[in-house]
Structure formats: C-alpha cells, structure tokens
C-alpha cells in the first residue's frame, strides 16, 4: 500500500518513514524543506535499503496539492506531520502558523474528501490540554484555552478533522504527542533543528558538543520534586512505531469510531534537572546550565496516561530516558564530525 507522509524529512516524519518501509509500505514524502534537508533521504536509505518517493512541495499551494493527488490516486493513507512547531515563534509570528498549519490541512482534507475511502493520521500535541488538572493526563482530560498560536492550530486542526469526518468517508486518528526526543540507533537520522534549538534535548546536545555556552533552565521554583518543569519524554522511534500501528488499525477497519484519539508518551514525568543528570550520565561529562526566571507559557507538569494506547493499539514504549538521550548524543557527535 502507498502511504503519503507530509513533512516526511523532518524529525518525527523521517523516523516514521523508516518504520513504514520496514513494515513493507510504499512511501511518498512531501516536504518543502523549510526545516529539513533532502540529505535525510540518504539516511533513510542507509537504514532501510530503500528511498521513498520524494516531492518538494509546499502544501500551502492548493493547486500543487490538487496536482499531487491527481498523480497519486492510489494513496491509501496519509500521515500529516507538515507544520510549523515552535511555540515561541508562533507568539511572535502567529499568521505564519495559522497559514502554514491550517491552510495545508484544509487542502489535504479537500482532496481526501473526494476519495471513496480515506485514512488520515494527524500529528497533534499534548499542548491541547494546557495545564491539566490531573496527572497523568488521559484522553478525556478537558481541552484548555491554548497558551500559544501553535497550540491553537493543533486544537483548530483537531476540530476541523472532526467536523469533516462527520460528513465524509474520512476516518482519522489524532495522535497527541508528549515530548519526542532521541534519534535512530544507527545515528543515520535524528533531530537537526535549523538555528537555535527550541526544544530541550537538542539544546542540551548542542551545548554538550560545544555549540552553545550553557543551557538556560527557566525557573526552579515550580511545585515539583526539584523545582523545575516536568515533561514526558518519549523516544522518537517508539513514537514512529505508534504511527505504523495506528495506520494499520485504520487500514484494517479496526477503528471503533470515525475519529479516535490517543496520547503518546511514556507515562513517566521527568524534570529538566533529571534530563540534565541523564545526559551527564550517558555522556560522561559535567553539563553547564544556569537557572533563570520562568518563561511565559510553560506549564508546570505534563505526562501521559498511556492506558488507552497500550490497550487499544497494543503499543507501548520500549526505550528509557537514558537510552533516548544516549541516541541523541550519538547523533549529535556524528553530525558534528561530518
């Protein structure tokens, strides 16, 4: 079966392409290379022995999306990653985020709506929960007002997909990620943000390699075990495998509803200082950081209830925090010695 992966050369997308190809799917990748590189195709090939079909295409161009589906009428499923994803940037440039994240989704759904049957997996986020009232967070937790335009685009995206599925043949799965980290154990692909990293782990590994002077830890006065924020860090390979399982569930018509929602995390919360300690352990070197004032928009704590994904998808994470950081560090070292 042919599967379209949008944003398939990005961090999570590329790892998902690998897992799809390992399961025998024919993959077509769309990416506009705004936050990725065509060189990722070589890494995918090195791991799987096969390159996906690649089309450089901007999903904000409606006519290009229409043309793609005319040429690829045999696409059986779509996994939609392509989106802008930096919370801070979304605050300073909200229109970029609304255009990129919402219009591209609409143009994809308009084409899928024309098909007799369509299977759609949406890359969503735990940001839709805001600061949840109860830990761990399950799929029935209330959706809170978004704390950033980025988070709002994920909420709006989920609402659009839900409305469209009610009146079409689109069956969809909304996957709400917690905090993906790490890289493929081969170190052939990994997280390579352009510019200054917006996420914790790539900033840590870049600091460890000497690209950054030190990490700013935003606040140590939160009501947590050590005063720093707590998140649920999931190895990207575990996350990628969940997409394959979710897609297979749709394709074999095992979904119990037209829209299904799953949290994807480990079920374990780790503080910023615990992540730093883990990195020091796997790298064998002390890590420079500085405590600074809290950052606006950060929630105190967020970690997943994984019961639904474990029981319904028969999926669970396999890698520990140490293993995820070890793979991220291995990738960082390889990237800097190219």
């Amino acid at each position: 079966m042919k599967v379209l992966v949008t944003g398939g050369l990005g961090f999570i997308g590329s790892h998902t392409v690998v897992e799809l190809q390992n399961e025998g799917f024919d993959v077509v990748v769309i990416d506009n290379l705004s936050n990725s590189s065509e060189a990722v195709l070589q890494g995918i090939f090195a791991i799987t022995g096969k390159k996906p079909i690649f089309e450089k295409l901007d999903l904000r161009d409606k006519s290009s999306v229409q043309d793609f589906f005319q040429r690829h009428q045999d696409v059986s499923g779509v996994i939609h990653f392509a989106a802008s994803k930096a919370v801070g940037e979304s605050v300073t440039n909200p229109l970029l985020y609304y255009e990129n994240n919402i219009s591209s989704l609409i143009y994809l759904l308009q084409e899928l709506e024309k098909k007799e049957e369509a299977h759609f997996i949406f890359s969503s986020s735990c940001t839709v929960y805001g600061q949840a009232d109860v830990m761990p967070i399950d799929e029935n937790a209330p959706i809170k007002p978004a704390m950033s335009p980025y988070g709002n685009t994920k909420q709006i995206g989920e609402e659009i997909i839900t409305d469209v599925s009610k009146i079409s043949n689109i069956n969809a799965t909304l996957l709400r990620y917690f905090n993906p980290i790490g890289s493929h154990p081969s170190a052939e692909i990994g997280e390579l943000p352009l510019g200054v990293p917006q996420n914790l782990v790539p900033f840590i590994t870049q600091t460890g390699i000497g690209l950054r002077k030190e990490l700013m830890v935003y606040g140590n006065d939160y009501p947590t075990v050590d005063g720093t924020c707590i998140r649920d860090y999931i190895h990207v390979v575990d996350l990628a495998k969940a997409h394959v399982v979710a897609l297979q569930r749709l394709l074999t018509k095992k979904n119990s509803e037209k829209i299904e929602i799953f949290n994807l995390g480990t079920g374990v919360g780790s503080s910023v200082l615990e992540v730093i300690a883990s990195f020091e352990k796997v790298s064998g070197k002390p890590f420079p950081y500085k405590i600074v004032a809290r950052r606006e928009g950060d929630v105190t704590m967020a970690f997943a209830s994984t019961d639904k994904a474990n029981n319904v998808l028969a999926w669970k994470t396999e890698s520990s925090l140490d293993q995820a950081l070890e793979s991220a560090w291995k990738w960082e070292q390889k990237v800097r010695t190219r």
Side-chain angles (χ1 to χ4, degrees):
M1 288 186 173
K2 184 187 283 188
V3 179
L4 167 63
V5 181
T6 73
L9 299 188
F11 175 42
I12 306 171
S14 60
H15 287 82
T16 301
V17 170
V18 164
E19 298 305 324
L20 286 167
Q21 292 193 163
N22 284 342
E23 287 295 315
F25 286 98
D26 292 323
V27 180
V28 186
V29 168
I30 285 177
D31 203 301
N32 68 358
L33 304 180
S34 62
N35 194 34
S36 58
S37 166
E38 200 166 342
V40 175
L41 289 167
Q42 283 300 128
I44 293 170
F45 177 75
I47 298 167
T48 66
K50 183 179 180 181
K51 277 189 184 179
I53 299 169
F54 170 61
E55 295 207 15
K56 183 181 178 183
L57 190 155
D58 194 325
L59 292 171
R60 292 173 295 186
D61 184 344
K62 184 174 182 175
S63 61
S64 294
V65 177
Q66 292 172 328
D67 175 66
F68 174 87
F69 279 94
Q70 277 295 117
R71 292 183 289 106
H72 295 276
Q73 295 187 22
D74 56 343
V75 166
S76 298
V78 176
I79 304 179
H80 182 42
F81 293 106
S84 301
K85 63 181 182 67
V87 169
E89 184 185 45
S90 78
V91 174
T92 58
N93 196 351
L95 287 178
L96 168 69
Y97 275 66
Y98 288 117
E99 180 192 27
N100 198 30
N101 295 7
I102 302 301
S103 64
S104 59
L105 172 64
I106 290 170
Y107 298 154
L108 280 172
L109 292 174
Q110 284 175 336
E111 296 309 303
L112 293 180
E113 197 177 24
K114 299 172 186 176
K115 299 171 78 72
E116 286 186 17
E117 188 176 80
H119 309 97
F120 188 75
I121 293 180
F122 181 58
S123 168
S124 192
S125 168
C126 65
T127 58
V128 301
Y129 299 117
Q131 179 56 71
D133 301 318
V134 177
M135 294 294 146
I137 304 168
D138 67 25
E139 290 81 358
N140 295 317
I143 303 300
K144 298 287 189 72
M147 299 179 74
S148 69
Y150 162 72
N152 202 27
T153 65
K154 292 303 181 183
Q155 291 184 6
I156 294 168
E158 289 194 1
E159 291 168 0
I160 291 170
I161 295 164
T162 301
D163 288 342
V164 173
S165 73
K166 290 175 182 174
I167 51 85
S168 72
N169 288 318
I170 298 174
N171 286 269
T173 305
L174 312 178
L175 298 179
R176 294 173 178 165
Y177 314 155
F178 280 68
N179 294 71
I181 62 171
S183 75
H184 195 271
S186 67
E188 292 291 348
I189 56 175
E191 188 169 12
L192 191 60
L194 301 181
V196 179
Q198 301 287 326
N199 296 326
L200 177 62
V201 169
F203 203 106
I204 285 177
T205 59
Q206 288 191 12
T207 303
I209 209 76
L211 278 181
R212 312 286 164 198
K213 180 184 175 184
E214 61 187 358
L215 173 73
M216 303 293 185
V217 176
Y218 295 102
N220 66 343
D221 58 350
Y222 287 94
T224 62
V225 63
D226 57 24
T228 62
C229 292
I230 288 177
R231 299 289 183 270
D232 187 338
Y233 296 95
I234 176 174
H235 196 301
V236 67
V237 174
D238 285 335
L239 182 64
K241 289 178 178 177
H243 288 77
V244 179
V245 174
L247 179 64
Q248 289 169 330
R249 179 174 169 83
L250 285 179
L251 293 173
T252 55
K253 303 188 189 330
K254 291 180 179 175
N255 51 307
S256 58
E257 302 172 85
K258 294 207 69 181
I259 296 279
E260 291 188 322
I261 300 170
F262 297 96
N263 285 342
L264 297 180
T266 65
V268 177
S270 301
S271 73
V272 176
L273 294 185
E274 286 173 333
V275 175
I276 290 172
S278 177
F279 179 75
E280 289 180 327
K281 178 181 174 182
V282 301
S283 67
K285 56 198 293 186
F287 182 81
Y289 68 90
K290 180 168 70 174
I291 305 292
V292 297
R294 291 188 184 191
R295 181 173 56 183
E296 186 179 351
D298 280 341
V299 300
T300 300
M301 185 182 304
F303 60 95
S305 167
T306 61
D307 290 349
K308 186 177 180 182
N310 295 163
N311 296 327
V312 178
L313 291 180
W315 165 90
K316 64 179 181 178
T317 57
E318 298 174 3
S319 297
S320 67
L321 179 64
D322 286 352
Q323 289 170 321
L325 282 163
E326 186 175 20
S327 69
W329 180 230
K330 182 180 177 182
W331 162 252
E332 186 72 51
Q333 291 173 299
K334 179 174 181 179
V335 167
R336 303 307 163 189
T337 56
R338 283 179 180 173

